[in-house]
Amino acid sequence: MIDDIRRIAADASDRIAAAATLDELGGLDRELLGKTSELSGFKRRMGELDHEGKREVGSALNAAQESLRFAVASRRDQLAAVARREQAEAERLDLTEVRAGRDAGHLHLVTQAIEELEDVFVGLGFTVAEGPEVEDDWHNFTALNFGQYHPARDMQDTFFVGLGGPREVVMRTHTSPVQIRVMESQKPPIYSVMPGRVYRNEATDATHLAVFHQLECLVVDRGITFGHLAGTIDMFTKAYFGPGWTSRLRPSYFPFTEPSAEFDLQRPDGSWLELGGCGMVHPNVLANCGIDPEEFSGFAFGFGLDRLAATKHGVTDLRELASTDVRFLEQF
Ligand code: PHE
């Protein structure tokens, strides 16, 4: 009987060691150690034995069952560790930026728009300029002819920075302060575009972002007219979107341009997209930058790049542009 027990236990322990899954192991546990197992059968047959026989068979049986229980537990630990490793492997994220042998990503939609527009304007002989996103009151407002108490300061909901005096330092609300920086540092003729990020204290929705991007265009030279302004807007519209697109101007007001207008783009289907503001650079603004308004005139326009890029690519909610979801970003 003892030989039988040892043989059965040796077979059982081989089968346990060979179990390939936790499910299979659970089945073996019941089959080899449960109430109906072959080993449990020996308990009933022990009644036929004498005292000494019962003792020997009983202890062999206990030893066999104990070692099988141990074998099941350690095989269970091994299989669980394998399962955890496989799951971790399956859910692994590759956080390296450049993935060898795979597509290493591409520029964001808005960056693509900036680069395309820079190419258009550089091709016309414009330079590209940049300015700081944290601005002083002079560049963001005062030099742009916003009077100290002018209500137009409220047209743009400003984020103030806790530096300097009260309301002295702002997150720039538009790219127009870069006009001032360019005119302060260069003599006309000036033909410049100025892309960049801007900030407004606004509630965010599908058509408004609190952090967005603009492109500013500034021309200052002798004999610049409103016709040059309208023609330049129409030219970049067609260059960016294609020949089926046109533009129109509507009278408006900005302290830093006179006359001022808003401009809209017309899609090939006839519908309109409100895009930006423009006008002839106000003589006070030229004078603030040391440029003689009797000798030079200029035009400027500025518009939202996010809206432009979203329109081109059929993105209907501007908030998507701030998304980091690769399923969105991969489409463009
Ligand atoms: N800076 C203006 C805005 O953000 C747009 C603008 C730019 C208007 C240049 C006129 C000239 O609303």
Side-chain angles (χ1 to χ4, degrees):
M1 234 188 249
I2 290 176
D3 285 347
D4 284 347
I5 290 170
R6 296 213 170 114
R7 187 186 40 76
I8 291 167
D11 278 358
S13 115
D14 287 349
R15 290 179 64 195
I16 290 166
T21 65
L22 287 167
D23 275 354
E24 187 186 337
L25 185 66
L28 285 176
D29 189 7
R30 280 188 298 279
E31 178 191 334
L32 303 172
L33 288 160
K35 284 205 178 61
T36 58
S37 66
E38 214 177 347
L39 285 179
S40 294
F42 282 94
K43 278 189 194 141
R44 286 185 293 279
R45 289 163 55 192
M46 268 162 63
E48 314 153 7
L49 300 171
D50 60 11
H51 181 70
E52 186 64 3
K54 273 187 186 131
R55 203 182 58 76
E56 282 176 10
V57 170
S59 105
L61 198 55
N62 278 343
Q65 287 181 322
E66 187 117 345
S67 85
L68 290 184
R69 263 184 227 110
F70 180 78
V72 167
S74 58
R75 185 65 188 148
R76 182 169 285 134
D77 283 350
Q78 285 172 1
L79 290 174
V82 169
R84 270 197 306 279
R85 249 198 322 279
E86 278 172 359
Q87 185 178 6
E89 197 60 37
E91 293 175 359
R92 181 202 194 99
L93 290 177
D94 184 355
L95 300 177
T96 53
E97 212 170 298
V98 176
R99 296 172 292 174
R102 287 162 69 186
D103 179 5
H106 59 261
L107 297 175
H108 188 271
L109 215 52
V110 172
T111 311
Q112 289 178 32
I114 291 174
E115 296 201 341
E116 285 171 42
L117 289 166
E118 284 179 358
D119 284 350
V120 169
F121 282 100
V122 166
L124 292 168
F126 283 64
T127 59
V128 178
E130 283 182 348
E133 293 176 20
V134 181
E135 264 296 8
D136 51 35
D137 177 274
W138 167 257
H139 291 94
N140 197 77
F141 290 123
T142 304
L144 286 164
N145 203 35
F146 285 82
Q148 198 60 55
Y149 300 104
H150 197 289
R153 283 184 189 242
D154 298 336
M155 274 164 56
Q156 306 186 336
D157 299 299
T158 309
F159 283 119
F160 294 95
V161 179
L163 288 173
R167 305 195 154 214
E168 237 170 53
V169 180
V170 304
M171 299 307 292
R172 67 178 178 196
T173 58
H174 51 177
T175 42
S176 298
V178 192
Q179 287 186 34
I180 302 299
R181 292 185 176 275
V182 167
M183 287 189 280
E184 282 174 340
S185 62
Q186 292 171 42
K187 295 270 150 272
I190 292 168
Y191 292 81
S192 252
V193 287
M194 299 147 249
R197 189 178 294 139
V198 302
Y199 301 81
R200 296 213 187 150
N201 187 7
E202 281 197 83
T204 297
D205 63 29
T207 55
H208 296 89
L209 298 176
V211 179
F212 57 104
H213 301 79
Q214 288 188 331
L215 186 119
E216 192 88 6
C217 175
L218 173 71
V219 168
V220 182
D221 204 345
R222 292 186 177 83
I224 296 298
T225 70
F226 209 83
H228 295 125
L229 167 62
T232 305
I233 288 176
D234 209 58
M235 177 283 307
F236 98 76
T237 302
K238 289 179 165 59
Y240 184 70
F241 283 109
W245 289 65
T246 55
S247 59
R248 74 175 172 196
L249 304 183
R250 281 178 290 118
S252 186
Y253 173 78
F254 298 98
F256 40 98
T257 45
E258 180 59 35
S260 300
E262 310 226 355
F263 68 93
D264 308 327
L265 307 188
Q266 190 174 34
R267 302 181 180 89
D269 70 5
S271 64
W272 293 95
L273 170 71
E274 285 182 28
L275 197 63
C278 63
M280 302 305 290
V281 181
H282 196 290
N284 291 352
V285 174
L286 294 174
N288 284 340
C289 301
I291 295 173
D292 181 1
E294 298 295 329
E295 188 180 355
F296 293 102
S297 59
F299 71 73
F301 60 84
F303 59 87
L305 282 166
D306 310 80
R307 202 170 279 192
L308 189 83
T311 301
K312 182 164 184 166
H313 295 280
V315 176
T316 50
D317 188 331
L318 289 184
R319 290 169 294 193
E320 299 269 36
L321 296 175
S323 152
T324 54
D325 190 330
V326 177
R327 289 166 299 181
F328 172 76
L329 296 169
E330 267 175 356
Q331 297 174 63
F332 307 100

